[in-house]
Amino acid sequence: MPGHEKRVLSLDGLRGLAALIVFLYHVDIMVKPFGAGGPSLFPGTASVMVFFILSGIVLSLVPFKHMGNGGYDWLGYYPRRVVRLCGPLFAAIALALPMGYVAWRLGSTSRSALAVAYDAGLPTAVHDILMQFDVLFNVSDGVNNLFGAQLVRVDSPVWSMSWELWFSLTLPLAIWCISRIRRTSLAVVATFIAVLVSHWTGYFPLRLCLMFWLGVMVARRFDKFKAVKLSILAELALLVASVGVIELSLVWHPGGVLEALKSTAMNAACLVVLMFTKKWSE
């Protein structure tokens, strides 16, 4: 948000907690404290979903607020957002590259060490280094590029920032489309049906895009979501159940349609946790 807009500190706190969980998740999968086949108890995937929904909310609140008041300053938005995302992102990649080179020299076979083919000649090495800074077209999951060829990242968490950048660039389209939806509740239901299809078929880009758009829907009807009244016990029960669903998704893998339903419930639980974080801060 622009500096003069009021920040929502509870959402900043949730963002920090989610970042910590993602960090611990990556440490966990490297150290493997529960053995090679043991599950991680840190919900890294759910935390990334929280990030995506949160981005949809916080980037949309101000444009919606100014929609009937002269419009939003999109020309000012774009340079601010691109610099804010790409500055730290490119700095992280630039720091990871020499570390990956050192790891390669030491004989490591980790992804960071093998991301650049230093022994394949200078043109190939430069090509691989430049590819590390391509956060738009080499894609989304950190494994394959848009053409299906294998891609190795020197800094693997960059995949999520690619999605953040794509959404940030297409935010006006999301605002325009969702501002024309009359029944947001039906749109939210349709979104989760599409998320279910995404989990069932394995087509992950659909659910990742929809998490951002879900955040835009929430921002569009933010006052109505806040106006929902539940008892304290009901809110606590719903929050505990949501956290339980998120943790259950880490250790229970039934497969098939049931797996898709469980994963969709995890996405819904992320939205519930986010909404209660905002509600309880007021």
Side-chain angles (χ1 to χ4, degrees), residues 160-189:
S160 63
M161 296 303 297
S162 294
W163 286 98
E164 288 275 0
L165 188 55
W166 269 114
F167 172 69
S168 297
L169 295 175
T170 58
L171 178 62
L173 175 64
I175 296 288
W176 185 85
C177 290
I178 292 173
S179 65
R180 281 154 177 76
I181 294 176
R182 293 185 178 182
R183 301 190 65 178
T184 305
S185 58
L186 291 180
V188 171
V189 171

PDB file of all heavy atoms in Angstrom, residues 160-189:
ATOM      1  N   SER A 160       7.629 -18.969  -5.959  1.00  0.00           N
ATOM      2  CA  SER A 160       6.443 -18.273  -5.454  1.00  0.00           C
ATOM      3  C   SER A 160       6.466 -16.798  -5.824  1.00  0.00           C
ATOM      4  O   SER A 160       5.415 -16.175  -6.045  1.00  0.00           O
ATOM      5  CB  SER A 160       6.326 -18.434  -3.942  1.00  0.00           C
ATOM      6  OG  SER A 160       7.429 -17.835  -3.285  1.00  0.00           O
ATOM      7  N   MET A 161       7.666 -16.214  -5.918  1.00  0.00           N
ATOM      8  CA  MET A 161       7.766 -14.803  -6.291  1.00  0.00           C
ATOM      9  C   MET A 161       7.400 -14.591  -7.753  1.00  0.00           C
ATOM     10  O   MET A 161       6.940 -13.509  -8.133  1.00  0.00           O
ATOM     11  CB  MET A 161       9.186 -14.287  -6.015  1.00  0.00           C
ATOM     12  CG  MET A 161       9.560 -14.296  -4.547  1.00  0.00           C
ATOM     13  SD  MET A 161       8.401 -13.337  -3.541  1.00  0.00           S
ATOM     14  CE  MET A 161       8.632 -11.701  -4.209  1.00  0.00           C
ATOM     15  N   SER A 162       7.595 -15.612  -8.572  1.00  0.00           N
ATOM     16  CA  SER A 162       7.154 -15.505  -9.967  1.00  0.00           C
ATOM     17  C   SER A 162       5.646 -15.307 -10.021  1.00  0.00           C
ATOM     18  O   SER A 162       5.135 -14.481 -10.792  1.00  0.00           O
ATOM     19  CB  SER A 162       7.547 -16.771 -10.738  1.00  0.00           C
ATOM     20  OG  SER A 162       8.945 -16.901 -10.838  1.00  0.00           O
ATOM     21  N   TRP A 163       4.924 -16.050  -9.194  1.00  0.00           N
ATOM     22  CA  TRP A 163       3.465 -15.910  -9.153  1.00  0.00           C
ATOM     23  C   TRP A 163       3.065 -14.560  -8.587  1.00  0.00           C
ATOM     24  O   TRP A 163       2.100 -13.932  -9.055  1.00  0.00           O
ATOM     25  CB  TRP A 163       2.849 -17.043  -8.335  1.00  0.00           C
ATOM     26  CG  TRP A 163       2.870 -18.328  -9.074  1.00  0.00           C
ATOM     27  CD1 TRP A 163       3.779 -19.348  -8.947  1.00  0.00           C
ATOM     28  CD2 TRP A 163       1.959 -18.737 -10.097  1.00  0.00           C
ATOM     29  NE1 TRP A 163       3.484 -20.364  -9.824  1.00  0.00           N
ATOM     30  CE2 TRP A 163       2.368 -20.013 -10.540  1.00  0.00           C
ATOM     31  CE3 TRP A 163       0.843 -18.156 -10.680  1.00  0.00           C
ATOM     32  CZ2 TRP A 163       1.700 -20.713 -11.540  1.00  0.00           C
ATOM     33  CZ3 TRP A 163       0.170 -18.843 -11.677  1.00  0.00           C
ATOM     34  CH2 TRP A 163       0.596 -20.108 -12.097  1.00  0.00           C
ATOM     35  N   GLU A 164       3.778 -14.098  -7.569  1.00  0.00           N
ATOM     36  CA  GLU A 164       3.494 -12.767  -7.005  1.00  0.00           C
ATOM     37  C   GLU A 164       3.662 -11.683  -8.068  1.00  0.00           C
ATOM     38  O   GLU A 164       2.842 -10.762  -8.165  1.00  0.00           O
ATOM     39  CB  GLU A 164       4.442 -12.486  -5.829  1.00  0.00           C
ATOM     40  CG  GLU A 164       4.164 -13.282  -4.579  1.00  0.00           C
ATOM     41  CD  GLU A 164       3.103 -12.636  -3.694  1.00  0.00           C
ATOM     42  OE1 GLU A 164       2.585 -11.561  -4.066  1.00  0.00           O
ATOM     43  OE2 GLU A 164       2.800 -13.203  -2.641  1.00  0.00           O
ATOM     44  N   LEU A 165       4.704 -11.793  -8.870  1.00  0.00           N
ATOM     45  CA  LEU A 165       4.958 -10.779  -9.888  1.00  0.00           C
ATOM     46  C   LEU A 165       3.904 -10.829 -10.983  1.00  0.00           C
ATOM     47  O   LEU A 165       3.402  -9.778 -11.426  1.00  0.00           O
ATOM     48  CB  LEU A 165       6.357 -10.979 -10.481  1.00  0.00           C
ATOM     49  CG  LEU A 165       6.858  -9.876 -11.420  1.00  0.00           C
ATOM     50  CD1 LEU A 165       6.815  -8.517 -10.740  1.00  0.00           C
ATOM     51  CD2 LEU A 165       8.266 -10.188 -11.898  1.00  0.00           C
ATOM     52  N   TRP A 166       3.529 -12.026 -11.419  1.00  0.00           N
ATOM     53  CA  TRP A 166       2.488 -12.154 -12.436  1.00  0.00           C
ATOM     54  C   TRP A 166       1.176 -11.532 -11.951  1.00  0.00           C
ATOM     55  O   TRP A 166       0.515 -10.797 -12.682  1.00  0.00           O
ATOM     56  CB  TRP A 166       2.261 -13.624 -12.801  1.00  0.00           C
ATOM     57  CG  TRP A 166       3.093 -14.122 -13.929  1.00  0.00           C
ATOM     58  CD1 TRP A 166       4.087 -15.071 -13.889  1.00  0.00           C
ATOM     59  CD2 TRP A 166       3.019 -13.698 -15.298  1.00  0.00           C
ATOM     60  NE1 TRP A 166       4.627 -15.261 -15.138  1.00  0.00           N
ATOM     61  CE2 TRP A 166       3.993 -14.433 -16.017  1.00  0.00           C
ATOM     62  CE3 TRP A 166       2.236 -12.779 -15.984  1.00  0.00           C
ATOM     63  CZ2 TRP A 166       4.194 -14.273 -17.385  1.00  0.00           C
ATOM     64  CZ3 TRP A 166       2.429 -12.605 -17.357  1.00  0.00           C
ATOM     65  CH2 TRP A 166       3.400 -13.352 -18.037  1.00  0.00           C
ATOM     66  N   PHE A 167       0.800 -11.841 -10.710  1.00  0.00           N
ATOM     67  CA  PHE A 167      -0.441 -11.276 -10.191  1.00  0.00           C
ATOM     68  C   PHE A 167      -0.356  -9.765 -10.079  1.00  0.00           C
ATOM     69  O   PHE A 167      -1.309  -9.050 -10.416  1.00  0.00           O
ATOM     70  CB  PHE A 167      -0.774 -11.869  -8.825  1.00  0.00           C
ATOM     71  CG  PHE A 167      -1.934 -11.182  -8.155  1.00  0.00           C
ATOM     72  CD1 PHE A 167      -3.217 -11.303  -8.641  1.00  0.00           C
ATOM     73  CD2 PHE A 167      -1.718 -10.374  -7.031  1.00  0.00           C
ATOM     74  CE1 PHE A 167      -4.281 -10.640  -8.043  1.00  0.00           C
ATOM     75  CE2 PHE A 167      -2.771  -9.722  -6.423  1.00  0.00           C
ATOM     76  CZ  PHE A 167      -4.055  -9.860  -6.925  1.00  0.00           C
ATOM     77  N   SER A 168       0.773  -9.258  -9.609  1.00  0.00           N
ATOM     78  CA  SER A 168       0.936  -7.817  -9.456  1.00  0.00           C
ATOM     79  C   SER A 168       0.795  -7.100 -10.789  1.00  0.00           C
ATOM     80  O   SER A 168       0.211  -6.014 -10.869  1.00  0.00           O
ATOM     81  CB  SER A 168       2.303  -7.511  -8.839  1.00  0.00           C
ATOM     82  OG  SER A 168       2.401  -8.055  -7.538  1.00  0.00           O
ATOM     83  N   LEU A 169       1.317  -7.698 -11.850  1.00  0.00           N
ATOM     84  CA  LEU A 169       1.236  -7.079 -13.173  1.00  0.00           C
ATOM     85  C   LEU A 169      -0.170  -7.136 -13.754  1.00  0.00           C
ATOM     86  O   LEU A 169      -0.556  -6.275 -14.557  1.00  0.00           O
ATOM     87  CB  LEU A 169       2.231  -7.751 -14.133  1.00  0.00           C
ATOM     88  CG  LEU A 169       3.718  -7.578 -13.792  1.00  0.00           C
ATOM     89  CD1 LEU A 169       4.580  -8.387 -14.762  1.00  0.00           C
ATOM     90  CD2 LEU A 169       4.126  -6.105 -13.819  1.00  0.00           C
ATOM     91  N   THR A 170      -0.930  -8.147 -13.363  1.00  0.00           N
ATOM     92  CA  THR A 170      -2.288  -8.307 -13.913  1.00  0.00           C
ATOM     93  C   THR A 170      -3.372  -7.864 -12.931  1.00  0.00           C
ATOM     94  O   THR A 170      -4.551  -8.145 -13.146  1.00  0.00           O
ATOM     95  CB  THR A 170      -2.535  -9.774 -14.307  1.00  0.00           C
ATOM     96  OG1 THR A 170      -2.351 -10.618 -13.151  1.00  0.00           O
ATOM     97  CG2 THR A 170      -1.581 -10.217 -15.405  1.00  0.00           C
ATOM     98  N   LEU A 171      -2.981  -7.169 -11.862  1.00  0.00           N
ATOM     99  CA  LEU A 171      -3.940  -6.741 -10.851  1.00  0.00           C
ATOM    100  C   LEU A 171      -5.097  -5.914 -11.432  1.00  0.00           C
ATOM    101  O   LEU A 171      -6.251  -6.124 -11.036  1.00  0.00           O
ATOM    102  CB  LEU A 171      -3.223  -5.955  -9.751  1.00  0.00           C
ATOM    103  CG  LEU A 171      -4.110  -5.389  -8.638  1.00  0.00           C
ATOM    104  CD1 LEU A 171      -4.814  -6.518  -7.885  1.00  0.00           C
ATOM    105  CD2 LEU A 171      -3.282  -4.541  -7.674  1.00  0.00           C
ATOM    106  N   PRO A 172      -4.863  -4.972 -12.350  1.00  0.00           N
ATOM    107  CA  PRO A 172      -6.009  -4.216 -12.899  1.00  0.00           C
ATOM    108  C   PRO A 172      -7.065  -5.115 -13.541  1.00  0.00           C
ATOM    109  O   PRO A 172      -8.263  -4.839 -13.432  1.00  0.00           O
ATOM    110  CB  PRO A 172      -5.357  -3.289 -13.937  1.00  0.00           C
ATOM    111  CG  PRO A 172      -3.952  -3.132 -13.473  1.00  0.00           C
ATOM    112  CD  PRO A 172      -3.582  -4.456 -12.872  1.00  0.00           C
ATOM    113  N   LEU A 173      -6.625  -6.199 -14.192  1.00  0.00           N
ATOM    114  CA  LEU A 173      -7.583  -7.134 -14.785  1.00  0.00           C
ATOM    115  C   LEU A 173      -8.422  -7.805 -13.705  1.00  0.00           C
ATOM    116  O   LEU A 173      -9.653  -7.926 -13.848  1.00  0.00           O
ATOM    117  CB  LEU A 173      -6.845  -8.195 -15.611  1.00  0.00           C
ATOM    118  CG  LEU A 173      -7.711  -9.321 -16.189  1.00  0.00           C
ATOM    119  CD1 LEU A 173      -8.720  -8.761 -17.185  1.00  0.00           C
ATOM    120  CD2 LEU A 173      -6.822 -10.389 -16.840  1.00  0.00           C
ATOM    121  N   ALA A 174      -7.777  -8.220 -12.617  1.00  0.00           N
ATOM    122  CA  ALA A 174      -8.507  -8.855 -11.517  1.00  0.00           C
ATOM    123  C   ALA A 174      -9.505  -7.882 -10.893  1.00  0.00           C
ATOM    124  O   ALA A 174     -10.650  -8.245 -10.609  1.00  0.00           O
ATOM    125  CB  ALA A 174      -7.520  -9.367 -10.463  1.00  0.00           C
ATOM    126  N   ILE A 175      -9.070  -6.646 -10.675  1.00  0.00           N
ATOM    127  CA  ILE A 175      -9.954  -5.626 -10.104  1.00  0.00           C
ATOM    128  C   ILE A 175     -11.155  -5.401 -11.017  1.00  0.00           C
ATOM    129  O   ILE A 175     -12.320  -5.346 -10.570  1.00  0.00           O
ATOM    130  CB  ILE A 175      -9.199  -4.296  -9.900  1.00  0.00           C
ATOM    131  CG1 ILE A 175      -8.079  -4.462  -8.864  1.00  0.00           C
ATOM    132  CG2 ILE A 175     -10.159  -3.184  -9.490  1.00  0.00           C
ATOM    133  CD1 ILE A 175      -8.528  -4.617  -7.462  1.00  0.00           C
ATOM    134  N   TRP A 176     -10.911  -5.282 -12.326  1.00  0.00           N
ATOM    135  CA  TRP A 176     -11.976  -5.010 -13.279  1.00  0.00           C
ATOM    136  C   TRP A 176     -12.989  -6.148 -13.316  1.00  0.00           C
ATOM    137  O   TRP A 176     -14.191  -5.923 -13.305  1.00  0.00           O
ATOM    138  CB  TRP A 176     -11.373  -4.790 -14.673  1.00  0.00           C
ATOM    139  CG  TRP A 176     -12.382  -4.388 -15.707  1.00  0.00           C
ATOM    140  CD1 TRP A 176     -12.835  -3.129 -15.982  1.00  0.00           C
ATOM    141  CD2 TRP A 176     -13.075  -5.269 -16.604  1.00  0.00           C
ATOM    142  NE1 TRP A 176     -13.767  -3.168 -17.000  1.00  0.00           N
ATOM    143  CE2 TRP A 176     -13.933  -4.463 -17.398  1.00  0.00           C
ATOM    144  CE3 TRP A 176     -13.061  -6.644 -16.810  1.00  0.00           C
ATOM    145  CZ2 TRP A 176     -14.762  -5.009 -18.385  1.00  0.00           C
ATOM    146  CZ3 TRP A 176     -13.885  -7.187 -17.780  1.00  0.00           C
ATOM    147  CH2 TRP A 176     -14.719  -6.371 -18.557  1.00  0.00           C
ATOM    148  N   CYS A 177     -12.487  -7.379 -13.358  1.00  0.00           N
ATOM    149  CA  CYS A 177     -13.386  -8.538 -13.447  1.00  0.00           C
ATOM    150  C   CYS A 177     -14.215  -8.708 -12.180  1.00  0.00           C
ATOM    151  O   CYS A 177     -15.443  -8.865 -12.236  1.00  0.00           O
ATOM    152  CB  CYS A 177     -12.570  -9.814 -13.703  1.00  0.00           C
ATOM    153  SG  CYS A 177     -11.824  -9.907 -15.348  1.00  0.00           S
ATOM    154  N   ILE A 178     -13.565  -8.653 -11.026  1.00  0.00           N
ATOM    155  CA  ILE A 178     -14.253  -8.949  -9.775  1.00  0.00           C
ATOM    156  C   ILE A 178     -15.175  -7.802  -9.366  1.00  0.00           C
ATOM    157  O   ILE A 178     -16.187  -8.017  -8.692  1.00  0.00           O
ATOM    158  CB  ILE A 178     -13.221  -9.303  -8.686  1.00  0.00           C
ATOM    159  CG1 ILE A 178     -12.568 -10.646  -9.043  1.00  0.00           C
ATOM    160  CG2 ILE A 178     -13.848  -9.356  -7.297  1.00  0.00           C
ATOM    161  CD1 ILE A 178     -11.432 -11.051  -8.177  1.00  0.00           C
ATOM    162  N   SER A 179     -14.875  -6.589  -9.799  1.00  0.00           N
ATOM    163  CA  SER A 179     -15.771  -5.467  -9.485  1.00  0.00           C
ATOM    164  C   SER A 179     -17.104  -5.612 -10.192  1.00  0.00           C
ATOM    165  O   SER A 179     -18.086  -4.956  -9.809  1.00  0.00           O
ATOM    166  CB  SER A 179     -15.113  -4.139  -9.883  1.00  0.00           C
ATOM    167  OG  SER A 179     -14.945  -4.062 -11.287  1.00  0.00           O
ATOM    168  N   ARG A 180     -17.163  -6.473 -11.199  1.00  0.00           N
ATOM    169  CA  ARG A 180     -18.398  -6.674 -11.944  1.00  0.00           C
ATOM    170  C   ARG A 180     -19.169  -7.909 -11.499  1.00  0.00           C
ATOM    171  O   ARG A 180     -20.208  -8.242 -12.076  1.00  0.00           O
ATOM    172  CB  ARG A 180     -18.082  -6.743 -13.447  1.00  0.00           C
ATOM    173  CG  ARG A 180     -17.877  -5.361 -14.030  1.00  0.00           C
ATOM    174  CD  ARG A 180     -16.994  -5.344 -15.250  1.00  0.00           C
ATOM    175  NE  ARG A 180     -16.911  -3.971 -15.777  1.00  0.00           N
ATOM    176  CZ  ARG A 180     -16.166  -3.005 -15.228  1.00  0.00           C
ATOM    177  NH1 ARG A 180     -15.459  -3.259 -14.133  1.00  0.00           N
ATOM    178  NH2 ARG A 180     -16.134  -1.796 -15.755  1.00  0.00           N
ATOM    179  N   ILE A 181     -18.688  -8.576 -10.474  1.00  0.00           N
ATOM    180  CA  ILE A 181     -19.395  -9.739  -9.922  1.00  0.00           C
ATOM    181  C   ILE A 181     -20.441  -9.243  -8.928  1.00  0.00           C
ATOM    182  O   ILE A 181     -20.112  -8.533  -7.972  1.00  0.00           O
ATOM    183  CB  ILE A 181     -18.413 -10.704  -9.231  1.00  0.00           C
ATOM    184  CG1 ILE A 181     -17.463 -11.308 -10.270  1.00  0.00           C
ATOM    185  CG2 ILE A 181     -19.173 -11.813  -8.500  1.00  0.00           C
ATOM    186  CD1 ILE A 181     -16.395 -12.195  -9.659  1.00  0.00           C
ATOM    187  N   ARG A 182     -21.682  -9.617  -9.125  1.00  0.00           N
ATOM    188  CA  ARG A 182     -22.755  -9.138  -8.241  1.00  0.00           C
ATOM    189  C   ARG A 182     -22.898 -10.005  -6.991  1.00  0.00           C
ATOM    190  O   ARG A 182     -23.229  -9.497  -5.933  1.00  0.00           O
ATOM    191  CB  ARG A 182     -24.077  -9.112  -9.008  1.00  0.00           C
ATOM    192  CG  ARG A 182     -24.109  -8.079 -10.128  1.00  0.00           C
ATOM    193  CD  ARG A 182     -25.475  -8.000 -10.773  1.00  0.00           C
ATOM    194  NE  ARG A 182     -25.530  -6.976 -11.810  1.00  0.00           N
ATOM    195  CZ  ARG A 182     -26.617  -6.682 -12.505  1.00  0.00           C
ATOM    196  NH1 ARG A 182     -27.758  -7.328 -12.270  1.00  0.00           N
ATOM    197  NH2 ARG A 182     -26.576  -5.740 -13.435  1.00  0.00           N
ATOM    198  N   ARG A 183     -22.686 -11.302  -7.115  1.00  0.00           N
ATOM    199  CA  ARG A 183     -22.849 -12.206  -5.978  1.00  0.00           C
ATOM    200  C   ARG A 183     -21.499 -12.838  -5.659  1.00  0.00           C
ATOM    201  O   ARG A 183     -21.123 -13.876  -6.193  1.00  0.00           O
ATOM    202  CB  ARG A 183     -23.898 -13.266  -6.289  1.00  0.00           C
ATOM    203  CG  ARG A 183     -25.264 -12.668  -6.627  1.00  0.00           C
ATOM    204  CD  ARG A 183     -26.355 -13.700  -6.689  1.00  0.00           C
ATOM    205  NE  ARG A 183     -26.586 -14.326  -5.389  1.00  0.00           N
ATOM    206  CZ  ARG A 183     -27.525 -15.251  -5.163  1.00  0.00           C
ATOM    207  NH1 ARG A 183     -28.309 -15.654  -6.164  1.00  0.00           N
ATOM    208  NH2 ARG A 183     -27.673 -15.774  -3.963  1.00  0.00           N
ATOM    209  N   THR A 184     -20.771 -12.172  -4.778  1.00  0.00           N
ATOM    210  CA  THR A 184     -19.419 -12.615  -4.449  1.00  0.00           C
ATOM    211  C   THR A 184     -19.423 -13.986  -3.784  1.00  0.00           C
ATOM    212  O   THR A 184     -18.503 -14.783  -3.985  1.00  0.00           O
ATOM    213  CB  THR A 184     -18.748 -11.586  -3.520  1.00  0.00           C
ATOM    214  OG1 THR A 184     -18.790 -10.303  -4.140  1.00  0.00           O
ATOM    215  CG2 THR A 184     -17.299 -11.957  -3.251  1.00  0.00           C
ATOM    216  N   SER A 185     -20.465 -14.275  -2.991  1.00  0.00           N
ATOM    217  CA  SER A 185     -20.511 -15.571  -2.308  1.00  0.00           C
ATOM    218  C   SER A 185     -20.525 -16.726  -3.306  1.00  0.00           C
ATOM    219  O   SER A 185     -19.843 -17.736  -3.111  1.00  0.00           O
ATOM    220  CB  SER A 185     -21.749 -15.647  -1.405  1.00  0.00           C
ATOM    221  OG  SER A 185     -22.938 -15.444  -2.165  1.00  0.00           O
ATOM    222  N   LEU A 186     -21.277 -16.575  -4.394  1.00  0.00           N
ATOM    223  CA  LEU A 186     -21.303 -17.611  -5.425  1.00  0.00           C
ATOM    224  C   LEU A 186     -19.955 -17.710  -6.132  1.00  0.00           C
ATOM    225  O   LEU A 186     -19.513 -18.805  -6.490  1.00  0.00           O
ATOM    226  CB  LEU A 186     -22.409 -17.324  -6.438  1.00  0.00           C
ATOM    227  CG  LEU A 186     -23.851 -17.479  -5.945  1.00  0.00           C
ATOM    228  CD1 LEU A 186     -24.835 -17.161  -7.075  1.00  0.00           C
ATOM    229  CD2 LEU A 186     -24.089 -18.895  -5.413  1.00  0.00           C
ATOM    230  N   ALA A 187     -19.301 -16.567  -6.314  1.00  0.00           N
ATOM    231  CA  ALA A 187     -17.985 -16.566  -6.949  1.00  0.00           C
ATOM    232  C   ALA A 187     -16.960 -17.284  -6.081  1.00  0.00           C
ATOM    233  O   ALA A 187     -16.096 -18.009  -6.586  1.00  0.00           O
ATOM    234  CB  ALA A 187     -17.531 -15.132  -7.221  1.00  0.00           C
ATOM    235  N   VAL A 188     -17.062 -17.105  -4.750  1.00  0.00           N
ATOM    236  CA  VAL A 188     -16.151 -17.804  -3.833  1.00  0.00           C
ATOM    237  C   VAL A 188     -16.386 -19.308  -3.898  1.00  0.00           C
ATOM    238  O   VAL A 188     -15.433 -20.104  -3.947  1.00  0.00           O
ATOM    239  CB  VAL A 188     -16.334 -17.282  -2.393  1.00  0.00           C
ATOM    240  CG1 VAL A 188     -15.567 -18.155  -1.402  1.00  0.00           C
ATOM    241  CG2 VAL A 188     -15.859 -15.832  -2.288  1.00  0.00           C
ATOM    242  N   VAL A 189     -17.655 -19.712  -3.925  1.00  0.00           N
ATOM    243  CA  VAL A 189     -17.973 -21.148  -4.044  1.00  0.00           C
ATOM    244  C   VAL A 189     -17.422 -21.708  -5.350  1.00  0.00           C
ATOM    245  O   VAL A 189     -16.807 -22.778  -5.384  1.00  0.00           O
ATOM    246  CB  VAL A 189     -19.494 -21.370  -3.956  1.00  0.00           C
ATOM    247  CG1 VAL A 189     -19.844 -22.823  -4.290  1.00  0.00           C
ATOM    248  CG2 VAL A 189     -19.998 -21.017  -2.558  1.00  0.00           C
TER     249      VAL A 189
END
